[in-house]
Amino acid sequence: MKKLIPSYIRVPLIFAVVMAGMEYFIDSGDKPAFIEYPMVALFLGVFLFLLIAIEIVVSAVDKVTYHLLTDEQKKQLEEAQSMSFADSKFMKMLTRSKDIDQEDDVMLDHDYDGIKELDNVLPPWWVGLFYACVVFAIIYLIRFHVMGDYTQAEEFVAEMEQSDKQVQEYLKNAPDLMDKDKVTLLTDAPAIAEGKKIFESNCVACHRPDAGGAIGPNLTDKFWILGGGIKNVFNTISEGGRSGKGMVPWKESLKPTEIQKVASYVLSLQGSNPKDGKPAEGDEWVEEGAAPSTEATTEVVETVVDSTKTE
Protein backbone atom coordinates (compact mmCIF):
# COMPACT_ATOMS: atom_id res chain seq x y z
CA MET A 1 0.00 0.00 0.00
CA LYS A 2 1.13 3.54 -0.66
CA LYS A 3 2.52 5.40 2.33
CA LEU A 4 3.26 9.11 2.67
CA ILE A 5 6.79 8.49 4.02
CA PRO A 6 8.96 5.75 2.47
CA SER A 7 10.30 3.06 4.79
CA TYR A 8 13.95 4.03 4.14
CA ILE A 9 13.11 7.45 5.63
CA ARG A 10 10.58 6.35 8.23
CA VAL A 11 12.81 3.78 9.98
CA PRO A 12 15.87 6.05 10.49
CA LEU A 13 13.58 8.91 11.53
CA ILE A 14 11.77 6.88 14.21
CA PHE A 15 15.08 5.42 15.43
CA ALA A 16 16.66 8.90 15.65
CA VAL A 17 13.67 10.24 17.63
CA VAL A 18 13.83 7.37 20.14
CA MET A 19 17.60 7.69 20.49
CA ALA A 20 17.38 11.47 21.01
CA GLY A 21 14.68 10.95 23.65
CA MET A 22 16.85 8.48 25.57
CA GLU A 23 19.84 10.84 25.42
CA TYR A 24 17.64 13.63 26.78
CA PHE A 25 16.07 11.70 29.66
CA ILE A 26 19.09 9.56 30.69
CA ASP A 27 21.80 11.44 32.57
CA SER A 28 25.04 9.96 31.27
CA GLY A 29 27.44 12.84 31.94
CA ASP A 30 29.90 13.75 29.21
CA LYS A 31 29.48 10.45 27.35
CA PRO A 32 26.49 9.38 25.21
CA ALA A 33 24.02 7.17 27.04
CA PHE A 34 24.55 4.18 24.71
CA ILE A 35 28.30 4.27 25.52
CA GLU A 36 28.00 4.90 29.26
CA TYR A 37 25.26 2.28 29.73
CA PRO A 38 25.60 -0.91 27.60
CA MET A 39 21.94 -1.79 28.25
CA VAL A 40 20.90 1.35 26.36
CA ALA A 41 22.95 0.26 23.35
CA LEU A 42 21.39 -3.20 23.58
CA PHE A 43 17.89 -1.71 23.72
CA LEU A 44 18.57 0.52 20.70
CA GLY A 45 19.90 -2.45 18.74
CA VAL A 46 16.83 -4.56 19.53
CA PHE A 47 14.54 -1.62 18.76
CA LEU A 48 16.17 -1.07 15.35
CA PHE A 49 15.90 -4.79 14.59
CA LEU A 50 12.18 -4.74 15.46
CA LEU A 51 11.58 -1.66 13.30
CA ILE A 52 13.15 -3.34 10.28
CA ALA A 53 11.29 -6.60 10.99
CA ILE A 54 7.94 -4.77 11.24
CA GLU A 55 8.58 -2.99 7.93
CA ILE A 56 9.38 -6.32 6.24
CA VAL A 57 6.25 -7.99 7.67
CA VAL A 58 3.97 -5.07 6.74
CA SER A 59 5.39 -4.99 3.21
CA ALA A 60 4.82 -8.73 2.83
CA VAL A 61 1.24 -8.44 4.12
CA ASP A 62 0.54 -5.58 1.68
CA LYS A 63 1.77 -7.65 -1.25
CA VAL A 64 -0.28 -10.68 -0.25
CA THR A 65 -3.38 -8.53 0.32
CA TYR A 66 -2.94 -6.81 -3.07
CA HIS A 67 -2.87 -10.16 -4.90
CA LEU A 68 -6.10 -11.18 -3.15
CA LEU A 69 -7.98 -8.15 -4.52
CA THR A 70 -10.21 -8.34 -7.57
CA ASP A 71 -9.36 -6.38 -10.71
CA GLU A 72 -11.96 -3.77 -9.85
CA GLN A 73 -10.63 -3.37 -6.32
CA LYS A 74 -7.08 -3.06 -7.66
CA LYS A 75 -8.23 -0.31 -10.03
CA GLN A 76 -9.95 1.58 -7.18
CA LEU A 77 -6.83 1.24 -5.05
CA GLU A 78 -4.59 2.58 -7.81
CA GLU A 79 -6.91 5.56 -8.32
CA ALA A 80 -6.85 6.31 -4.59
CA GLN A 81 -3.06 6.06 -4.47
CA SER A 82 -2.63 8.30 -7.51
CA MET A 83 -4.34 11.20 -5.70
CA SER A 84 -1.79 13.76 -4.55
CA PHE A 85 -1.73 15.46 -1.17
CA ALA A 86 -2.82 18.75 -2.79
CA ASP A 87 -6.05 17.08 -3.89
CA SER A 88 -6.78 15.52 -0.52
CA LYS A 89 -9.76 16.52 1.63
CA PHE A 90 -7.43 17.76 4.38
CA MET A 91 -5.71 20.17 2.00
CA LYS A 92 -9.05 21.44 0.68
CA MET A 93 -10.22 22.00 4.25
CA LEU A 94 -7.14 24.14 4.95
CA THR A 95 -7.36 26.22 1.77
CA ARG A 96 -11.07 26.07 0.79
CA SER A 97 -9.86 26.14 -2.80
CA LYS A 98 -12.07 25.29 -5.75
CA ASP A 99 -11.35 22.66 -8.36
CA ILE A 100 -10.77 23.78 -11.93
CA ASP A 101 -14.17 22.51 -13.02
CA GLN A 102 -15.78 24.69 -10.31
CA GLU A 103 -14.03 27.95 -11.20
CA ASP A 104 -17.21 29.33 -12.76
CA ASP A 105 -18.67 29.61 -9.25
CA VAL A 106 -16.00 32.12 -8.18
CA MET A 107 -15.38 33.86 -11.51
CA LEU A 108 -15.84 37.65 -11.43
CA ASP A 109 -17.72 39.44 -14.21
CA HIS A 110 -15.03 41.88 -15.31
CA ASP A 111 -12.52 41.00 -17.99
CA TYR A 112 -9.13 42.62 -18.68
CA ASP A 113 -8.01 41.81 -22.21
CA GLY A 114 -9.12 38.25 -21.81
CA ILE A 115 -7.69 37.95 -18.30
CA LYS A 116 -10.34 37.02 -15.75
CA GLU A 117 -10.15 37.07 -11.97
CA LEU A 118 -11.22 34.47 -9.47
CA ASP A 119 -12.80 35.54 -6.19
CA ASN A 120 -11.21 32.85 -4.00
CA VAL A 121 -11.70 33.16 -0.26
CA LEU A 122 -8.75 33.49 2.09
CA PRO A 123 -7.48 30.21 3.57
CA PRO A 124 -9.10 29.48 6.95
CA TRP A 125 -5.71 29.00 8.66
CA TRP A 126 -4.61 32.45 7.48
CA VAL A 127 -7.85 34.09 8.68
CA GLY A 128 -7.59 32.36 12.07
CA LEU A 129 -3.97 33.44 12.48
CA PHE A 130 -4.89 37.04 11.60
CA TYR A 131 -7.64 37.19 14.24
CA ALA A 132 -5.29 35.59 16.81
CA CYS A 133 -2.71 38.33 16.11
CA VAL A 134 -5.38 41.00 16.58
CA VAL A 135 -6.42 39.54 19.95
CA PHE A 136 -2.76 39.29 21.05
CA ALA A 137 -2.11 42.91 20.03
CA ILE A 138 -5.09 44.15 22.09
CA ILE A 139 -3.97 42.22 25.18
CA TYR A 140 -0.37 43.44 24.74
CA LEU A 141 -1.53 47.06 24.37
CA ILE A 142 -3.64 46.95 27.52
CA ARG A 143 -1.03 45.14 29.60
CA PHE A 144 2.11 47.07 28.72
CA HIS A 145 0.89 50.48 27.51
CA VAL A 146 -2.30 51.01 29.53
CA MET A 147 -1.66 49.05 32.75
CA GLY A 148 2.09 49.89 32.69
CA ASP A 149 3.50 46.42 33.31
CA TYR A 150 7.27 45.77 33.23
CA THR A 151 9.36 47.24 30.42
CA GLN A 152 11.80 45.39 28.17
CA ALA A 153 14.73 46.90 30.09
CA GLU A 154 13.31 45.63 33.41
CA GLU A 155 12.70 42.21 31.88
CA PHE A 156 16.29 42.09 30.62
CA VAL A 157 17.70 42.99 34.06
CA ALA A 158 15.51 40.37 35.78
CA GLU A 159 16.57 37.67 33.32
CA MET A 160 20.24 38.57 33.72
CA GLU A 161 19.94 38.35 37.51
CA GLN A 162 18.27 34.96 37.20
CA SER A 163 20.98 33.80 34.80
CA ASP A 164 23.71 34.95 37.21
CA LYS A 165 22.09 32.94 40.01
CA GLN A 166 21.94 29.85 37.80
CA VAL A 167 25.60 30.28 36.82
CA GLN A 168 26.65 30.59 40.46
CA GLU A 169 24.67 27.48 41.39
CA TYR A 170 26.26 25.63 38.50
CA LEU A 171 29.75 26.69 39.52
CA LYS A 172 29.13 25.41 43.05
CA ASN A 173 28.43 21.93 41.68
CA ALA A 174 31.01 21.95 38.89
CA PRO A 175 34.36 21.18 40.55
CA ASP A 176 36.01 20.44 37.19
CA LEU A 177 36.03 24.18 36.57
CA MET A 178 38.55 24.47 39.40
CA ASP A 179 41.77 26.38 38.81
CA LYS A 180 44.84 27.45 40.76
CA ASP A 181 43.02 30.32 42.47
CA LYS A 182 40.09 28.21 43.72
CA VAL A 183 41.84 24.95 44.60
CA THR A 184 41.79 23.86 48.23
CA LEU A 185 43.71 21.17 50.11
CA LEU A 186 41.77 17.92 50.53
CA THR A 187 42.29 15.97 53.73
CA ASP A 188 39.50 13.36 53.70
CA ALA A 189 40.57 9.75 53.34
CA PRO A 190 38.60 8.91 50.13
CA ALA A 191 40.11 11.87 48.25
CA ILE A 192 43.63 11.04 49.46
CA ALA A 193 43.14 7.40 48.43
CA GLU A 194 42.05 8.45 44.94
CA GLY A 195 45.03 10.80 44.73
CA LYS A 196 47.31 7.91 45.66
CA LYS A 197 45.91 5.78 42.82
CA ILE A 198 46.49 8.59 40.33
CA PHE A 199 50.03 9.08 41.67
CA GLU A 200 50.82 5.37 41.37
CA SER A 201 49.48 5.29 37.81
CA ASN A 202 51.29 8.35 36.49
CA CYS A 203 54.03 9.64 38.79
CA VAL A 204 56.05 6.75 40.22
CA ALA A 205 58.35 6.49 37.19
CA CYS A 206 59.93 9.86 38.01
CA HIS A 207 59.24 10.24 41.74
CA ARG A 208 59.30 6.59 43.01
CA PRO A 209 56.33 4.91 44.74
CA ASP A 210 57.30 6.51 48.07
CA ALA A 211 57.77 9.94 46.40
CA GLY A 212 61.41 9.94 47.46
CA GLY A 213 62.54 11.15 44.03
CA ALA A 214 64.27 9.53 41.05
CA ILE A 215 64.44 11.53 37.84
CA GLY A 216 62.08 13.96 39.50
CA PRO A 217 62.69 15.65 42.85
CA ASN A 218 61.94 14.37 46.32
CA LEU A 219 58.34 15.32 47.16
CA THR A 220 58.48 14.54 50.87
CA ASP A 221 60.77 17.31 52.14
CA LYS A 222 60.19 21.01 52.72
CA PHE A 223 62.06 22.14 49.63
CA TRP A 224 60.30 22.95 46.35
CA ILE A 225 61.66 24.09 43.00
CA LEU A 226 58.46 25.87 41.90
CA GLY A 227 56.93 26.55 45.29
CA GLY A 228 55.02 24.41 47.75
CA GLY A 229 51.48 24.57 49.06
CA ILE A 230 48.35 23.30 47.35
CA LYS A 231 48.09 26.16 44.85
CA ASN A 232 51.67 25.90 43.60
CA VAL A 233 51.67 22.10 43.51
CA PHE A 234 48.33 22.10 41.67
CA ASN A 235 49.67 24.62 39.15
CA THR A 236 52.94 22.69 38.66
CA ILE A 237 51.10 19.43 37.96
CA SER A 238 48.64 21.17 35.68
CA GLU A 239 51.04 23.37 33.69
CA GLY A 240 54.21 21.27 33.97
CA GLY A 241 57.65 21.99 35.39
CA ARG A 242 60.56 24.02 34.10
CA SER A 243 60.73 24.40 30.33
CA GLY A 244 62.93 21.80 28.66
CA LYS A 245 63.82 19.78 31.75
CA GLY A 246 60.77 19.66 34.00
CA MET A 247 57.57 17.65 34.24
CA VAL A 248 55.14 17.63 31.33
CA PRO A 249 51.75 19.38 31.76
CA TRP A 250 49.15 16.93 33.03
CA LYS A 251 46.11 19.15 32.34
CA GLU A 252 45.59 17.37 29.01
CA SER A 253 45.39 13.96 30.72
CA LEU A 254 43.88 14.66 34.14
CA LYS A 255 40.78 16.55 35.17
CA PRO A 256 41.17 19.50 37.56
CA THR A 257 39.58 17.47 40.36
CA GLU A 258 42.05 14.64 39.75
CA ILE A 259 44.96 17.08 39.85
CA GLN A 260 43.60 18.46 43.14
CA LYS A 261 43.47 14.96 44.62
CA VAL A 262 46.97 13.95 43.56
CA ALA A 263 48.36 17.31 44.76
CA SER A 264 46.67 16.79 48.13
CA TYR A 265 48.10 13.27 48.32
CA VAL A 266 51.61 14.57 47.57
CA LEU A 267 51.31 17.15 50.33
CA SER A 268 50.10 14.46 52.73
CA LEU A 269 53.52 12.79 52.34
CA GLN A 270 55.39 15.76 53.80
CA GLY A 271 57.84 14.61 56.44
CA SER A 272 57.50 10.90 55.63
CA ASN A 273 61.29 10.69 55.07
CA PRO A 274 61.50 7.67 52.73
CA LYS A 275 64.63 5.56 52.71
CA ASP A 276 67.39 6.77 50.37
CA GLY A 277 65.42 9.86 49.48
CA LYS A 278 66.85 12.20 46.90
CA PRO A 279 68.69 15.27 48.29
CA ALA A 280 66.62 18.41 48.66
CA GLU A 281 66.24 20.70 45.65
CA GLY A 282 64.89 24.23 45.44
CA ASP A 283 64.00 26.54 48.28
CA GLU A 284 62.43 25.80 51.61
CA TRP A 285 58.73 26.51 51.51
CA VAL A 286 56.95 28.16 54.43
CA GLU A 287 53.19 28.62 54.27
CA GLU A 288 51.95 32.17 54.63
CA GLY A 289 50.92 32.88 58.20
CA ALA A 290 52.94 29.96 59.57
CA ALA A 291 55.05 30.61 62.62
CA PRO A 292 58.76 30.82 61.82
CA SER A 293 60.88 27.90 62.94
CA THR A 294 62.47 28.41 66.33
CA GLU A 295 66.25 28.30 66.38
CA ALA A 296 68.35 27.54 69.42
CA THR A 297 69.47 30.82 70.96
CA THR A 298 73.11 31.31 71.61
CA GLU A 299 73.78 31.95 75.23
CA VAL A 300 75.66 35.20 75.74
CA VAL A 301 78.01 35.18 78.68
CA GLU A 302 78.81 38.52 80.02
CA THR A 303 82.18 39.04 81.65
CA VAL A 304 81.90 41.03 84.83
CA VAL A 305 84.97 43.02 85.70
CA ASP A 306 85.55 43.87 89.34
CA SER A 307 87.16 47.26 89.28
CA THR A 308 88.14 47.02 92.97
CA LYS A 309 90.19 43.86 92.45
CA THR A 310 93.97 44.37 92.46
CA GLU A 311 96.48 42.13 90.90
Side-chain angles (χ1 to χ4, degrees), residues 156-169:
F156 174 77
V157 172
E159 290 182 355
M160 291 301 295
E161 291 177 352
Q162 181 64 26
S163 298
D164 290 340
K165 292 180 181 179
Q166 293 174 351
V167 169
Q168 295 303 322
E169 289 298 323

Side-chain angles (χ1 to χ4, degrees), residues 210-212 218-221 266-275:
D210 57 9
N218 187 340
L219 302 178
T220 65
D221 55 31
V266 167
L267 292 175
S268 72
L269 299 176
Q270 293 290 285
S272 58
N273 298 322
K275 184 179 179 181

